[in-house]
C-alpha cells in the first residue's frame, strides 16, 4: 500500500532573481526573505504554494511546484513537478 | 495566516509622488532625490542587503499601487532579455555615463563656462522648458543646474518605469533599476566568501 504526501511551494530561480522584494511584501505567511540581497529564499515549511508571489514577481522567476512523496514501506520516492 | 500590518515605510510612495510634484513648483527640491541614491548604497555596503529595495523604495510602492490597486498594469511576463545580466549591467553603465555627463554640465555651470540651462531633459534627448520652477538668485547657478539635471534623470526613470509597469508587471522597473542592480552587485561582492 502506498501513502501519498503532497506539498506545494514556491520555487525561485536564484540565478535570475533580482532581489527586489516584491514577493516579501505580498507573501501572506512571511515565508520569503532576501537575506543577503542577492536572491529571495522561500521557507518551504511555511510556504503553502498560494502563488501570490508568482503573480507579483516582476522578473517572472517564481514557479509553484507540487511535490508528491510516495511512502512505500520505509522509503520515500520524491516526484516534483511544476504546476504553474 | 499572519496578519500583515502596514508599517510606516509602506507609505513612502507618498514621498515619491510628492517629489515628482514638487519638481514642478521648485526645481531645487530635486536635490532630495539624492536620498534615493545614497541610502540604498549605504544599506548595501553596511548591512549587506537590499533593505532599501525590499522595504523602503517609494517608487516601487508607487508602481505596485498604480499597477495593482488602480489596475493599470497588463500583468504580463517581462521579456527574458530585460532581466538578463547584459541588459541590467548595460543599462546601469549607460545610466552612470549619463549621470557623469550631468555632473560635467553642472561643473561647467559652476565654473561659469556655461550659463544655466533651465530645461528638463526627458529620455536624455527631449528638452522641455522648465523655467517656471526656478525663481531666481537664492542659490548659485551650478546648484540649480544639478537640480535640473537630476530631476531630468528622476523623471525619465519614472517614465520608463511607468511604461514597463503598464506593459508588464507593476514593479517591472525593479528588474532593470540601476540602483537595484548596483546594490545587488555590492551584496554579491560583500557575500562572496
Amino acid at each position: 500500500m502506498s501513502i501519498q504526501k503532497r506539498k506545494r511551494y514556491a520555487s525561485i530561480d536564484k540565478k535570475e532573481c533580482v532581489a527586489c522584494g516584491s514577493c516579501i511584501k505580498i507573501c501572506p505567511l512571511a515565508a520569503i526573505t532576501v537575506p543577503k540581497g542577492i536572491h529571495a529564499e522561500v521557507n518551504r515549511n511555511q510556504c503553502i504554494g498560494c502563488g501570490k508571489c508568482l503573480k507579483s514577481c516582476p522578473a517572472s522567476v517564481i514557479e509553484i511546484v507540487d511535490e508528491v512523496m510516495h511512502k512505500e514501506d520505509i522509503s520515500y520516492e520524491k516526484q516534483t513537478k511544476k504546476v504553474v | 495566516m499572519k496578519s500583515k500590518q502596514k508599517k510606516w515605510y509602506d507609505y513612502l510612495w507618498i514621498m515619491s509622488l510628492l517629489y515628482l510634484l514638487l519638481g514642478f513648483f521648485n526645481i531645487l527640491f530635486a536635490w532630495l532625490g539624492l536620498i534615493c541614491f545614497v541610502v540604498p548604497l549605504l544599506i548595501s555596503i553596511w548591512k549587506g542587503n537590499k533593505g532599501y529595495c525590499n522595504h523602503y523604495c517609494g517608487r516601487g510602492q508607487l508602481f505596485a499601487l498604480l499597477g495593482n490597486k488602480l489596475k493599470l498594469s497588463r500583468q504580463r511576463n517581462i521579456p527574458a532579455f530585460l532581466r538578463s545580466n547584459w541588459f541590467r549591467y548595460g543599462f546601469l553603465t549607460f545610466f552612470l555615463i549619463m549621470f557623469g555627463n550631468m555632473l560635467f554640465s553642472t561643473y561647467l555651470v559652476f565654473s561659469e563656462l556655461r550659463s544655466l540651462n533651465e530645461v528638463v531633459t526627458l529620455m536624455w534627448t527631449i528638452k522641455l522648458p522648465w523655467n517656471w520652477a526656478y525663481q531666481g538668485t537664492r542659490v548659485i547657478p551650478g546648484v540649480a543646474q544639478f537640480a535640473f539635471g537630476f530631476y531630468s534623470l528622476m523623471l525619465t526613470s519614472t517614465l520608463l518605469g511607468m511604461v514597463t509597469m503598464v506593459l508588464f508587471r507593476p514593479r517591472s522597473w525593479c528588474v532593470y533599476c540601476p540602483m537595484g542592480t548596483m546594490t545587488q552587485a555590492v551584496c554579491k561582492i560583500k557575500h562572496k566568501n
Side-chain angles (χ1 to χ4, degrees), chain B residues 6 12 20-21 24 36 57 75 85 91 93 103 112 122 125 127 129 143 145-146 158 160 168-169 177-178 182 189:
Chain B
K6 289 228 174 192
L12 286 173
L20 293 172
L21 292 175
F24 276 84
C36 309
C57 179
Q75 304 282 359
N85 274 341
F91 188 65
T93 309
L103 288 180
E112 297 177 358
L122 266 189
T125 48
K127 293 191 185 302
V143 172
Q145 188 62 65
F146 179 84
T158 306
L160 283 174
F168 311 115
R169 298 249 166 95
C177 166
M182 202 156 30
I189 295 165

Side-chain angles (χ1 to χ4, degrees), chain B residues 78-91:
Chain B
I78 198 165
F81 82 91
L82 283 177
R83 62 166 189 257
S84 65
N85 274 341
W86 71 261
F87 182 82
R88 293 179 68 216
Y89 285 99
F91 188 65

Side-chain angles (χ1 to χ4, degrees), chain A residues 37-81:
Chain A
I38 302 170
H39 54 73
E41 283 178 15
V42 179
N43 181 341
R44 288 189 190 178
N45 294 326
Q46 275 179 272
C47 180
I48 53 166
C50 68
K52 284 190 173 182
C53 53
L54 174 146
K55 287 176 187 160
S56 78
C57 177
S60 311
V61 295
I62 303 180
E63 58 185 32
I64 302 297
V65 292
D66 199 357
E67 198 174 87
V68 184
M69 295 169 89
H70 301 280
K71 187 182 181 187
E72 298 199 4
D73 299 329
I74 54 167
S75 64
Y76 276 99
E77 186 195 335
K78 197 163 95 175
Q79 289 179 344
T80 305
K81 68 171 182 178

